[in-house]
Amino acid sequence: LNAFAGKSVVASVQYADVGGSNRQSVVALGGTQEDPLQTTIVYFKGPAAQKSFVTSHGAETLSDSSWAGYEVQRSIFALTNTNTAPPITTDTEYIWKFERLNENHVQGKLRIAGYLNAQSDTLYFDARQRAVSLQDYTLDMKKVQE
């Protein structure tokens, strides 16, 4: 977020122990105390915070060298002072496809779909559960020689 803003705007980031994504279940499944959780809370330097959590995810192996996956995330941005403005809620879907070209080279595509949310947008029903914004990226990753 700091890079996106072009300046230091984040005061702190914390993982949140919640229902299906909590420290105890991560460790029980073979993870460690340092592994990330699916819910984060970002506290900004101003009077605001953002909670982001995964609502759905999946993956599929397409071939020996190709993989696809998705993750749907909900973010709630709210003021933390006495202001009574309602929080802003956004839903975003990330769709990835990766193909290993060789041991040192992977190419991929990323599509980010933004959806309206009934809690924060009066046009939600007009959109009929369709994305209202799409962003497409091509990824080209090569192993760096040490």
Side-chain angles (χ1 to χ4, degrees), residues 98-117:
F98 293 105
E99 183 169 357
R100 185 180 64 234
L101 301 178
N102 61 48
E103 292 301 313
N104 298 316
H105 193 184
V106 173
Q107 285 186 335
K109 294 195 178 286
L110 166 63
R111 171 167 276 186
I112 303 173
Y115 297 87
L116 298 181
N117 187 283

Side-chain angles (χ1 to χ4, degrees), residues 6-145:
K7 60 183 179 179
S8 179
V9 296
V10 174
S12 67
V13 178
Q14 298 173 356
Y15 289 112
D17 265 334
V18 296
S21 177
N22 56 63
R23 185 63 55 207
Q24 183 179 355
S25 64
V26 168
V27 171
L29 292 170
T32 70
Q33 291 291 333
E34 289 75 39
D35 286 347
L37 298 177
Q38 293 180 337
T39 300
T40 59
I41 302 173
V42 176
Y43 293 96
F44 293 94
K45 291 185 176 178
Q50 178 176 327
K51 183 177 185 178
S52 298
F53 49 96
V54 174
T55 60
S56 178
H57 60 89
E60 182 177 346
T61 300
L62 304 174
S63 71
D64 288 342
S65 62
S66 183
W67 175 90
Y70 75 93
E71 180 176 282
V72 180
Q73 176 179 307
R74 176 164 287 171
S75 294
I76 302 170
F77 182 85
L79 296 173
T80 56
N81 57 12
T82 57
N83 190 309
T84 59
I88 296 171
T89 303
T90 61
D91 291 323
T92 307
E93 182 175 18
Y94 303 91
I95 306 161
W96 300 276
K97 181 181 179 197
F98 293 105
E99 183 169 357
R100 185 180 64 234
L101 301 178
N102 61 48
E103 292 301 313
N104 298 316
H105 193 184
V106 173
Q107 285 186 335
K109 294 195 178 286
L110 166 63
R111 171 167 276 186
I112 303 173
Y115 297 87
L116 298 181
N117 187 283
Q119 285 90 10
S120 61
D121 202 308
T122 58
L123 296 174
Y124 170 78
F125 294 104
D126 292 337
R128 293 187 230 144
Q129 298 180 345
R130 295 178 298 200
V132 296
S133 69
L134 293 173
Q135 301 162 25
D136 288 317
Y137 299 91
T138 299
L139 309 170
D140 192 40
M141 299 168 279
K142 296 179 182 175
K143 186 175 182 179
V144 176
Q145 300 300 322

